[in-house]
Amino acid sequence: MNIKNIIKNLKVVGLLFVTIGMYYSCEDFVDEIPVSDISPEGFYRDNAELQLALDGAYGLLSQAYSQFAINTGEFRSDNFEPQGSNASRSSLHNSTIDPGEGYLRWANLYKTIDAVNRVIIAAENVDGVDLDILGQAHAIRAKVYFDLARVWENIPVFTAPIATISEAYQPQTPYATVIETIVIPDMKKAEEFITSLDSEITFSKAAVYAFQAEVYMWDKEELLAKEAIENLLSLGSHSLVRTPQDWEDLFYNQIENDLAPEGRGKVQSGSELIFSFAYSDVNTSGLARAYNAGAAVSVISRDVESKWVARFPLDSLGWATKYPDTDPVFTRIVEEPDTTYTEPIYGDWRHFITRNGDEYQDGSGSQDPGEARCLKWIKNRSGLNPNMDDTNIPVYRLSDMILLLAEAELKLTNSVRSLELINEIRTARQLPLASEADFGTSFDEQLDFLLAERQFELFGEAKRWWDLVRNNKAIDVMTPILLNRDEGAVTPFTQDQITWPIYIDHLNENDLLNQNIGWR
């Protein structure tokens, strides 16, 4: 089902709620979890109504992750640094999070969980239930609980719809219990029930395998993660794109207007996309998520720019020194008053496409390091209403999974296979192959090399912070960076502060919750 149908059905679901008598409590907690006096057993009567409810849940999922994905997956990492006076963005970049920051709210995440709980419970009483619908509901619930747990660690758990205000106030369930009793069982049910192999904006079999790989790698179960990715690859439903244009089209969203006359509209399609949070101008109003695609409050960090150029030099001497046997693939035409000639384009074209003002045909240099915004998606944000950004957020791509498989192989002591997988991506990107000398000889050298390859390929896609935390590198990588910011005014965070603090209003509303230890 396409995004227009999902949004259309989300509206229908809203009307259905009103017709049957569903209400949201007028208590303060309404902002956190919806409360209904209608039992789910009698709420959805057949597969058509279950499908409407599932479509509504996908709409809530997109709303919940519109800022949450980038906030949690990018801004505390070394990918970005703050620019300007936006305090909330700076607090994320600098890991100086105040428990009163509004972005700490988890309301929309729990609303999504409540929506799919209703589908799961109601499905038990629907004759001939469509298992694909049920599987997708389990997949959504698993994904949301997984992210809640890795962001806040110990969290309230709900596996049934909330019927009374008292039910909405629950104590925290330990992280390990959430993973073992909710996330893993739900993702296994999703694998069992879902039949569709490929759907870019809903959970398919391919998306479930990608999610399983993410969970197992996070849980240090590399062999299980490898199995999940190999299951995904065996489906044959996705392939790597092979040109800069096709790579850019995975993300590209630029409406043609006076400021962007060459805009090609919303593309965001391609054989690599496994699952994305989908948006349209119908369901983005009020989300204010345009900074995801490069608002001026956040710029690409000088650290990652330097690392990128060191790996793929921008000048002929640096390139020839590092890759003496490989010429750049792409060229550009240079027109001067008396002559026109063709010259090579040095560097990584992904770098040029990712930063604002640059295209791989033109090379790099229009913005100095520390000033370049990430415009991997929208090339010209001028005139864009920040409340109407309909850019999809990629969640899983094939290149992500191949590089995650490379990480699993490395941790399973198969460094040869790991390097092969790295070069599989480099071949698709028409970049020089990495040599054994480049890869290094020790595990730490090889892991750092691999994580940098993931950093460049997946820049801005909410992966980098989790890569650092999963590999116990967040503190080591970020400490020197934070010490250099604001003339030493930023204090490096501790291991206890890797998790987010619980929003202060949540604590005030529910006295069964305890603030995370690093933020007391």
Side-chain angles (χ1 to χ4, degrees):
M1 177 169 289
N2 63 37
I3 183 62
K4 291 182 179 179
N5 287 337
I6 287 179
I7 302 306
K8 176 183 176 182
N9 288 344
L10 178 56
K11 292 180 178 179
V12 174
V13 171
L15 293 173
L16 184 61
F17 287 170
V18 173
T19 301
I20 296 180
M22 185 178 196
Y23 73 92
Y24 289 155
S25 165
C26 294
E27 302 288 337
D28 292 341
F29 205 61
V30 67
D31 291 332
E32 315 311 325
I33 302 176
V35 178
S36 171
D37 61 352
I38 301 295
S39 68
E41 292 84 351
F43 192 44
Y44 307 123
R45 296 161 296 185
D46 54 33
N47 284 321
E49 290 184 355
L50 284 178
Q51 183 65 59
L52 285 175
L54 181 67
D55 293 343
Y58 274 115
L60 292 171
L61 182 71
S62 293
Q63 184 180 35
Y65 279 83
S66 63
Q67 296 186 36
F68 181 71
I70 198 85
N71 281 345
T72 58
E74 284 289 342
F75 284 154
R76 293 185 73 186
S77 79
D78 54 337
N79 275 356
F80 290 93
E81 60 186 66
Q83 177 171 280
S85 58
N86 188 299
S88 63
R89 292 287 79 72
S90 294
S91 72
L92 273 174
H93 291 306
N94 296 329
S95 286
T96 54
I97 303 173
D98 186 314
E101 294 284 5
Y103 58 75
L104 296 172
R105 294 179 185 273
W106 56 33
N108 289 332
L109 295 161
Y110 278 107
K111 287 178 182 178
T112 305
I113 288 171
D114 191 76
V116 292
N117 280 343
R118 296 177 187 280
V119 174
I120 291 169
I121 297 297
E124 296 176 358
N125 296 285
V126 171
D127 291 335
V129 63
D130 185 340
L131 291 180
D132 202 82
I133 294 174
L134 183 57
Q136 290 180 64
H138 280 288
I140 292 172
R141 187 169 72 177
K143 173 62 176 170
V144 176
Y145 269 126
F146 174 63
D147 287 334
L148 278 165
R150 64 177 177 169
V151 171
W152 283 284
E153 193 167 0
N154 305 322
I155 56 172
V157 166
F158 306 89
T159 57
I162 307 303
T164 66
I165 287 293
S166 61
E167 290 178 12
Y169 298 108
Q170 295 291 328
Q172 290 148 289
T173 297
Y175 167 87
T177 302
V178 176
I179 300 299
E180 292 169 7
T181 65
I182 305 293
V183 175
I184 291 178
D186 269 354
M187 73 184 192
K188 288 182 176 179
K189 288 179 182 177
E191 178 188 2
E192 177 185 356
F193 295 156
I194 292 176
T195 56
S196 60
L197 299 183
D198 177 23
S199 173
E200 291 181 9
I201 62 171
T202 61
F203 269 99
S204 63
K205 187 79 80 175
V208 170
Y209 286 138
F211 173 58
Q212 288 180 353
E214 180 180 52
V215 171
Y216 286 135
M217 286 298 291
W218 187 259
D219 210 29
K220 313 298 184 187
E221 294 282 358
E222 288 85 9
L223 193 59
L224 293 176
K226 174 182 176 179
E227 180 181 342
I229 298 172
E230 288 176 342
N231 286 337
L232 164 60
L233 296 176
S234 69
L235 295 176
S237 53
H238 296 82
S239 60
L240 295 172
V241 298
R242 301 281 169 176
T243 69
Q245 182 71 73
D246 288 342
W247 189 85
E248 183 179 45
D249 283 352
L250 298 172
F251 318 103
Y252 187 93
N253 181 20
Q254 181 64 65
I255 298 174
E256 180 180 350
N257 55 39
D258 292 340
L259 296 171
E262 297 179 358
R264 295 182 287 116
K266 182 174 178 178
V267 183
Q268 296 210 274
S269 64
S271 59
E272 283 192 27
L273 294 172
I274 298 172
F275 177 62
S276 300
F277 298 129
Y279 300 88
S280 76
D281 58 4
V282 178
N283 76 330
T284 52
S285 181
L287 294 182
R289 42 177 303 273
Y291 68 87
N292 292 12
V297 296
S298 298
V299 293
I300 300 174
S301 75
R302 283 159 286 192
D303 298 275
V304 72
E305 294 250 42
S306 297
K307 189 195 304 187
W308 215 326
V309 172
R311 186 155 298 188
F312 298 102
L314 299 175
D315 63 293
S316 59
L317 178 60
W319 184 277
T321 301
K322 191 167 184 62
Y323 303 111
D325 301 321
T326 307
D327 293 328
V329 172
F330 301 104
T331 60
R332 61 169 169 246
I333 297 175
V334 179
E335 296 183 357
E336 295 185 352
D338 299 326
T339 184
T340 299
Y341 61 93
T342 300
E343 69 177 12
I345 300 176
Y346 298 100
D348 181 352
W349 53 263
R350 296 172 303 180
H351 186 192
F352 309 151
I353 289 175
T354 295
R355 69 198 312 271
N356 69 307
D358 299 322
E359 294 291 342
Y360 72 94
Q361 298 96 332
D362 303 323
S364 182
S366 67
Q367 294 288 338
D368 291 333
E371 298 178 1
R373 286 148 48 191
C374 175
L375 297 191
K376 190 173 181 176
W377 296 270
I378 297 175
K379 299 304 175 186
N380 189 326
R381 297 180 64 255
S382 301
L384 175 69
N385 182 342
N387 295 324
M388 298 296 288
D389 183 359
D390 66 347
T391 307
N392 293 349
I393 300 175
V395 181
Y396 302 118
R397 286 200 289 124
L398 184 60
S399 60
D400 172 18
M401 290 297 106
I402 290 173
L403 291 172
L404 199 63
L405 179 58
E407 183 181 326
E409 293 283 15
L410 181 62
K411 291 175 178 177
L412 293 169
T413 69
N414 193 352
S415 61
V416 173
R417 179 57 180 155
S418 181
L419 181 57
E420 289 174 352
L421 290 164
I422 289 171
N423 280 328
E424 185 174 333
I425 300 299
R426 287 218 185 178
T427 297
R429 305 301 177 239
Q430 302 186 53
L431 293 168
L433 299 185
S435 67
E436 292 182 5
D438 293 331
F439 197 33
T441 55
S442 71
F443 172 83
D444 287 339
E445 289 174 334
Q446 293 168 345
L447 181 59
D448 286 343
F449 185 91
L450 168 59
L451 292 180
E453 294 288 305
R454 285 182 55 83
Q455 185 175 24
F456 304 147
E457 171 66 24
L458 303 168
F459 191 93
E461 296 179 50
K463 301 293 181 179
R464 178 60 176 175
W465 173 252
W466 300 123
D467 282 357
L468 294 176
V469 175
R470 183 178 65 251
N471 289 286
N472 300 314
K473 290 183 175 290
I475 292 176
D476 290 344
V477 168
M478 293 307 300
T479 293
I481 293 173
L482 295 178
L483 287 174
N484 285 329
R485 284 185 185 164
D486 297 333
E487 298 181 350
V490 178
T491 303
F493 59 88
T494 66
Q495 186 67 34
D496 288 332
Q497 292 171 318
I498 285 179
T499 56
W500 273 16
I502 296 175
Y503 184 48
I504 191 67
D505 283 4
H506 297 339
L507 296 172
N508 292 335
E509 292 159 351
N510 181 2
D511 59 13
L512 299 177
L513 301 179
N514 295 307
Q515 182 60 278
N516 286 329
I517 189 171
W519 306 96
R520 293 174 185 171

